[in-house]
Amino acid sequence: MKKLLPVLLLFLFMNFLVVAQEAPDFEATDTHGNVHKLYDDYLDQGITVVLDLFFVDCPPCNELAPAM
């Protein structure tokens, strides 16, 4: 029981940290010069958007970057 309680508390705490948050409205320009607006072009039309942010010095991130 002594080992189960810390694991259970850690699990419950981690669930509070992994809650999705509403993204602020922003726009980005792609390599072709087209402007994309998050809410106007995607979210308001019911399209799911996943933002994957990379850190420059992260080796696993740099391996995945070309595929993204």
Side-chain angles (χ1 to χ4, degrees):
M1 183 67 180
K2 287 183 181 181
K3 292 181 181 179
L4 181 62
L5 185 61
V7 172
L8 182 61
L9 289 174
L10 180 64
F11 178 74
L12 291 173
F13 179 71
M14 292 302 290
N15 280 341
F16 289 115
L17 294 177
V18 185
V19 175
Q21 299 175 2
E22 187 173 327
D25 194 14
F26 66 89
E27 61 182 45
T29 305
D30 64 17
T31 56
H32 300 291
N34 300 322
V35 176
H36 300 274
K37 297 181 181 178
L38 180 63
Y39 280 87
D40 292 342
D41 296 338
Y42 299 102
L43 296 180
D44 289 344
Q45 296 177 17
I47 299 172
T48 301
V49 176
V50 177
L51 299 175
D52 193 1
L53 306 175
F54 293 102
F55 178 63
V56 178
D57 293 331
C58 171
C61 299
N62 289 331
E63 282 188 38
L64 289 174
M68 299 303 269

